[in-house]
Amino acid sequence: MEVKTIGFIGTGVMGRSMAGHLIDAGFKLKVYNRTKEKASSLIDKGALWASSPKEAAENCDVVISIVGYPADVKEVWLGDNGAIQAMKPGAIGIDMTTSTPALAKELTKEGLKHGVAICDAPVTGGDVGARNAALTILFGGSAAAFCSLEPVFKAMGKTYVRFGESGSGQYAKICNQIAIAAGMMSVCEALITARKTGLDEELVLKTLSGGAAGSFSLSSYGPRILKGDFNPGFYVKHFVKDMKIAVEVAKENNLQLPGLELALKLYERLIEKGDGDLGTQALFKLYLN
Amino acid sequence: MEVKTIGFIGTGVMGRSMAGHLIDAGFKLKVYNRTKEKASSLIDKGALWASSPKEAAENCDVVISIVGYPADVKEVWLGDNGAIQAMKPGAIGIDMTTSTPALAKELTKEGLKHGVAICDAPVTGGDVGARNAALTILFGGSAAAFCSLEPVFKAMGKTYVRFGESGSGQYAKICNQIAIAAGMMSVCEALITARKTGLDEELVLKTLSGGAAGSFSLSSYGPRILKGDFNPGFYVKHFVKDMKIAVEVAKENNLQLPGLELALKLYERLIEKGDGDLGTQALFKLYLN
């Protein structure tokens, strides 16, 4: 199947950039978002406005969603005005929200009843990756769908990898978030120790980043932490959602993940303090007593 | 001062490589180690054998130690056969063991009584960094000593940074170990989740390493973990020593570092299971079953 038309559901920080790249790549877009204003720049670029997920999905070759929480995902695909019912036979749906593997599998199953393939393709790379079309796209779904979607993924991402059948993209994303979770404590704890022991923080950050303690989190969030810049690249509240999904999946697999659990606990404390809308590097604030 | 002769105390995995590079760089070496056999390759290369730290220190421009625990550091510098008493006036001592900032300061103070400057310069980069003369050297001590030592550091390391007066090299190393500690849980927890959810582990590792979850630990230990290779690059028992020093320093500074504390607890459990002589990536074993 050659993809020409795309229904795009969810034009928040991530979705807006991604949809913009799809328009630039020549796809015809229909966009839906809960708040219409957030889609205005895309409409200016030539996207059609759809007043519901259902309307966004009609007659499109591909339907993409990237929304907030699993409940939102369920609503936009399976709700009264959901997308699946309106998709044309043979169309492909992609949920790019970080959501649960169980819901991914449920969507696939519901899709099959309507003759459409629903896949999961959560992304990593954050707002910057979305802006620069440099996302990593973690795909779960049929090999045939993956093949058809290559031009779509190419427009938004630098790397796109198929991990297996439906749900496996979400599992891979969970692994990704787990690989970040406890590491964020390490970053904050190293930097607060540098500060409290009177070291030159910038020098510590620079020296450590190049060695065995180096990480994307240290290099990318360290400088913002030292500047006291806690603005969101990736929201605390969304990271907590992801970690909760990860904890659930761990439970289902009889896994004990104490590092993840501790990180989740600290981030939940941050939300209790009213900092859910800050960026994940705001974990540092917990260490500043 | 131009450095020509170096007394080198401690020719274990790290010290042996480092001393070898010093010989290659043209310095005259006298070496001491508790077990003489471990110095034999250096003696073959032309190093003189010293039967005590004291003998190693005599008439040398620089004396270097890299041994196991703070108690060993104290012994080789301040013990009955310790180095300081035998150093010539104006000589420089460098403890490159990861040890406590308090002991570093004590050595400096004792050195001053004998007219010698004792500095701290713990390293990061592990056995591979030592072998390739690519260590990062974290220096605490006077600017004048740092300046004199540049040719010595250059022979062993790729990066050498002065963080301030005596003890600050140790503080920087503590920050480094803290930046690694909780992150090791993240690495293990992500990989065990990939395995238990049935994903292609190698593909997960490769995909995640290049993105926001990327870290030196993931790239360097991930492949060994997936192969079940728990051989030591860096010993569990030494990492536990370092983390205990870090916890002490945190306490002294009224810092709560829950990520570090949890990592230490898990690594201590690993030692209880008899795995103290494995490499730090063996943390993964705790997550199996």
Side-chain angles (χ1 to χ4, degrees):
Chain A
M1 179 188 72
E2 197 196 344
V3 181
K4 290 180 179 165
T5 52
I6 300 177
F8 201 102
I9 299 162
T11 56
V13 177
M14 298 292 291
R16 194 157 53 241
S17 295
M18 292 158 70
H21 293 306
L22 292 173
I23 295 172
D24 293 341
F27 297 103
K28 300 286 168 210
L29 253 67
K30 240 193 299 180
V31 298
Y32 167 75
N33 194 57
R34 216 151 39 183
T35 318
K36 187 176 176 181
E37 295 84 68
K38 290 188 184 168
S40 60
S41 66
L42 295 168
I43 295 167
D44 291 346
K45 278 185 96 164
L48 295 178
W49 171 251
S51 62
S52 69
K54 188 177 164 186
E55 202 180 307
E58 278 165 3
N59 297 315
C60 285
D61 302 320
V62 163
V63 181
I64 293 175
S65 69
I66 180 156
V67 294
Y69 297 86
D72 303 316
V73 173
K74 202 159 180 173
E75 179 68 24
V76 301
W77 290 98
L78 301 175
D80 287 343
N81 285 305
I84 287 186
Q85 58 187 305
M87 289 170 75
K88 65 179 183 187
I92 304 175
I94 325 167
D95 179 35
M96 303 188 79
T97 318
T98 298
S99 172
T100 69
L103 179 53
K105 291 173 196 170
E106 185 186 340
L107 293 181
T108 301
K109 214 167 137 189
E110 287 302 316
L112 280 179
K113 293 182 193 165
H114 292 80
V116 297
I118 314 288
C119 317
D120 47 300
V123 299
T124 83
D127 55 336
V128 177
R131 227 168 19 244
N132 300 333
L135 293 168
T136 296
I137 299 169
L138 311 170
F139 182 84
S142 76
F146 185 65
C147 197
S148 298
L149 292 170
E150 202 169 324
V152 176
F153 290 152
K154 205 167 187 170
M156 301 184 287
K158 202 174 54 180
T159 309
Y160 34 97
V161 179
R162 177 176 179 261
F163 285 93
E165 298 302 322
S166 171
S168 63
Q170 296 296 352
Y171 281 125
K173 179 65 190 281
I174 286 167
C175 293
N176 189 76
Q177 302 308 72
I178 294 173
I180 292 171
M184 287 300 294
M185 299 189 291
S186 268
V187 167
C188 294
E189 294 182 5
L191 294 177
I192 193 71
T193 303
R195 179 171 295 180
K196 288 292 177 85
T197 58
L199 295 176
D200 177 335
E201 305 168 356
E202 302 279 351
L203 189 59
V204 169
L205 174 59
K206 192 182 143 205
T207 308
L208 269 48
S209 295
S215 67
F216 180 92
S217 292
L218 187 64
S219 302
S220 135
Y221 293 123
R224 302 187 216 179
I225 287 172
L226 295 187
K227 266 182 267 168
D229 169 7
F230 300 125
N231 289 320
F234 182 48
Y235 284 120
V236 165
K237 63 186 177 189
H238 287 159
F239 194 34
V240 164
K241 179 250 304 181
D242 296 357
M243 287 191 282
K244 280 182 173 168
I245 293 172
V247 164
E248 276 310 304
V249 166
K251 256 189 216 153
E252 288 161 20
N253 289 277
N254 293 315
L255 274 173
Q256 297 230 323
L257 304 180
L260 169 67
E261 281 164 29
L262 177 60
L264 174 56
K265 206 174 87 184
L266 296 185
Y267 272 102
E268 283 181 323
R269 200 176 298 162
L270 206 55
I271 288 186
E272 282 162 27
K273 288 188 165 204
D275 288 337
D277 284 320
L278 295 181
T280 50
Q281 75 276 21
L283 182 64
F284 190 70
K285 289 181 75 182
L286 282 190
Y287 293 92
L288 293 168
N289 45 45
Chain B
M1 178 189 74
E2 196 197 344
V3 181
K4 289 179 179 164
T5 52
I6 299 177
F8 201 102
I9 299 161
T11 56
V13 176
M14 297 292 291
R16 193 155 56 238
S17 295
M18 292 157 70
H21 293 305
L22 292 173
I23 295 172
D24 293 341
F27 296 104
K28 300 285 170 210
L29 252 69
K30 240 193 298 181
V31 298
Y32 167 76
N33 194 58
R34 218 153 37 184
T35 318
K36 188 176 176 181
E37 295 85 68
K38 290 189 183 169
S40 61
S41 66
L42 295 168
I43 295 167
D44 292 345
K45 279 185 95 164
L48 296 176
W49 171 252
S51 62
S52 69
K54 189 177 165 186
E55 204 180 307
E58 278 165 3
N59 297 315
C60 285
D61 301 320
V62 163
V63 181
I64 292 175
S65 69
I66 179 156
V67 294
Y69 296 85
D72 303 316
V73 174
K74 202 160 181 171
E75 179 68 23
V76 301
W77 290 99
L78 301 175
D80 287 345
N81 286 305
I84 287 184
Q85 59 188 303
M87 288 171 75
K88 65 180 183 187
I92 304 175
I94 325 168
D95 178 36
M96 303 187 79
T97 319
T98 298
S99 171
T100 69
L103 179 54
K105 292 173 193 169
E106 185 187 340
L107 293 180
T108 302
K109 215 167 138 187
E110 287 302 315
L112 280 179
K113 293 181 194 165
H114 292 80
V116 298
I118 314 288
C119 316
D120 47 300
V123 299
T124 83
D127 55 337
V128 177
R131 226 166 22 241
N132 300 333
L135 293 169
T136 296
I137 299 170
L138 310 171
F139 184 84
S142 76
F146 185 66
C147 197
S148 297
L149 292 170
E150 200 169 326
V152 176
F153 291 151
K154 205 167 186 169
M156 300 183 287
K158 200 175 55 178
T159 309
Y160 33 98
V161 179
R162 177 176 179 261
F163 285 92
E165 298 302 321
S166 172
S168 63
Q170 296 295 354
Y171 281 125
K173 179 66 190 278
I174 286 166
C175 293
N176 188 76
Q177 302 307 72
I178 293 173
I180 292 171
M184 286 300 294
M185 299 189 291
S186 269
V187 167
C188 295
E189 295 181 4
L191 294 178
I192 192 70
T193 303
R195 179 171 296 182
K196 289 292 177 88
T197 57
L199 295 176
D200 177 336
E201 305 168 357
E202 302 280 351
L203 189 60
V204 169
L205 175 59
K206 191 181 144 208
T207 308
L208 268 48
S209 295
S215 68
F216 180 92
S217 292
L218 187 64
S219 302
S220 137
Y221 294 123
R224 301 187 217 181
I225 287 172
L226 295 188
K227 265 182 269 169
D229 169 8
F230 301 125
N231 290 320
F234 182 48
Y235 284 120
V236 165
K237 64 186 178 189
H238 287 159
F239 194 34
V240 164
K241 179 251 303 180
D242 295 357
M243 287 191 280
K244 280 182 174 169
I245 293 172
V247 164
E248 275 310 303
V249 165
K251 256 188 215 153
E252 289 162 20
N253 288 278
N254 294 315
L255 273 174
Q256 296 230 322
L257 304 181
L260 169 67
E261 281 164 29
L262 177 59
L264 174 56
K265 207 175 85 184
L266 296 184
Y267 272 103
E268 283 180 323
R269 202 176 296 162
L270 206 55
I271 289 185
E272 281 162 28
K273 290 189 163 205
D275 288 335
D277 284 321
L278 295 181
T280 50
Q281 75 276 20
L283 181 64
F284 190 70
K285 289 181 74 181
L286 284 189
Y287 291 94
L288 293 168
N289 73 44

